[in-house]
Amino acid sequence: MTAVQATAVDIPTEDGVADAYLVHPADGQPHPAVLLYMDAFGLRPQLRSMADRLAEAGYTVLVPNLFYRHGRAPVFELPDFIDPGARPQLFEQIGPVMAELTPDVAMRDAGAYLRALADSPVAAAGPVALTGYCMGARLALLTAGTYPERVAAAAGFHGGHLAPDTPDSPHLVAGNVTAELYFGHADQDPSLPVEQQERLEEALTAAGVRHTCEVYTGAHHGFTQADTAMYDAAGDERHWTALLDLLKRTF
């Protein structure tokens, strides 16, 4: 197993400073970069563990605290294990913060994260890959369409609201995307009903985007997150296989 080195870093943005987790193989060499977009629960041990696994596979991984405007991570006090009973109270706090992270604000921040990777001595030159979870899947798609010259591949897992019938829907950037995309949908996910899955597929196909959209049967929203009750071990390992295959094709 590849030894990795992790550090806490601060990223200047137009609106302040975003704290982030940076991890990479501990060999002193630059490696292909992956920007990992968190879920709504934020930058925490679970996401650091996922980033470590990617680093062990040979990548430099940046996980920014997307909610930095509200403080350094952890922004919210989370239990070690997030069960269904804890979610309503947590989302009373998280919901308003999520709502403030509009597409315009998030993409302004995305430019800062991409610049940080471009300037990092442990990140290889050239385009990066993205992977996102829950709300992060939405941001991965938006970033691929907003910064096509900087994104070689993007993946999203159990993403919500990827293709609503609204003027700022992520699927509307499909025409700008040059990256290869992969989406792993949870079929037990009210935040991404079948009509949105179909709308996303139609938009990507019409735009000629190289993509794969798969439905993970029996999986719930959040199936990759081992610190929640939504976790599904089989779905999680399938996600790792799909993500690492995408990265191998990209770099």
Side-chain angles (χ1 to χ4, degrees):
M1 187 173 294
T2 301
V4 302
Q5 180 177 343
T7 54
V9 296
D10 287 340
I11 301 171
T13 75
E14 293 185 29
D15 298 328
V17 176
D19 53 306
Y21 180 73
L22 180 70
V23 61
H24 54 89
D27 58 6
Q29 301 299 312
H31 291 268
V34 179
L35 173 59
L36 191 158
Y37 276 129
M38 68 188 208
D39 62 359
F41 294 125
L43 179 53
R44 62 195 192 281
Q46 166 64 21
L47 293 188
R48 293 186 182 95
S49 175
M50 294 174 75
D52 290 351
R53 182 164 173 174
L54 283 173
E56 290 167 359
Y59 303 99
T60 291
V61 187
L62 180 69
V63 191
N65 167 23
L66 305 182
F67 297 152
Y68 69 88
R69 292 173 179 84
H70 293 265
R72 300 179 72 86
V75 175
F76 308 106
E77 186 175 344
L78 301 172
D80 292 336
F81 185 78
I82 303 168
D83 61 33
R87 294 175 74 93
Q89 184 176 359
L90 284 173
F91 273 96
E92 286 182 9
Q93 305 171 59
I94 296 171
V97 176
M98 286 179 62
E100 291 180 16
L101 194 67
T102 63
D104 286 345
V105 170
M107 290 306 96
R108 194 162 68 233
D109 288 347
Y113 307 146
L114 292 170
R115 286 191 297 274
L117 284 171
D119 293 341
S120 174
V122 296
V128 309
L130 315 171
T131 185
Y133 301 88
C134 301
M135 74 169 198
R138 188 165 67 250
L139 299 183
L141 177 53
L142 284 168
T143 303
T146 305
Y147 299 95
E149 74 288 351
R150 291 288 296 125
V151 179
F157 298 92
H158 44 82
H161 310 291
L162 294 174
D165 188 15
T166 60
D168 62 352
S169 173
H171 81 284
L172 297 176
V173 305
N176 299 330
V177 173
T178 57
E180 181 178 351
L181 305 184
Y182 177 92
F183 290 98
H185 305 318
D187 75 338
Q188 305 293 311
D189 190 349
S191 70
L192 194 74
V194 171
E195 58 266 25
Q196 286 197 39
Q197 296 177 25
E198 293 175 346
R199 190 178 292 132
L200 175 63
E201 176 69 37
E202 290 167 1
L204 297 175
T205 300
V209 176
R210 292 167 296 152
H211 72 281
T212 302
C213 294
E214 296 184 321
V215 177
Y216 287 36
T217 303
H220 293 264
H221 185 81
F223 64 81
T224 64
Q225 301 302 303
D227 60 348
T228 78
M230 299 298 102
Y231 181 66
D232 179 84
D236 184 30
E237 283 308 307
R238 181 179 172 187
H239 132 263
W240 280 112
T241 298
L243 176 57
L244 291 171
D245 283 350
L246 176 65
L247 296 179
K248 289 174 185 175
R249 292 196 301 273
T250 302
F251 297 120

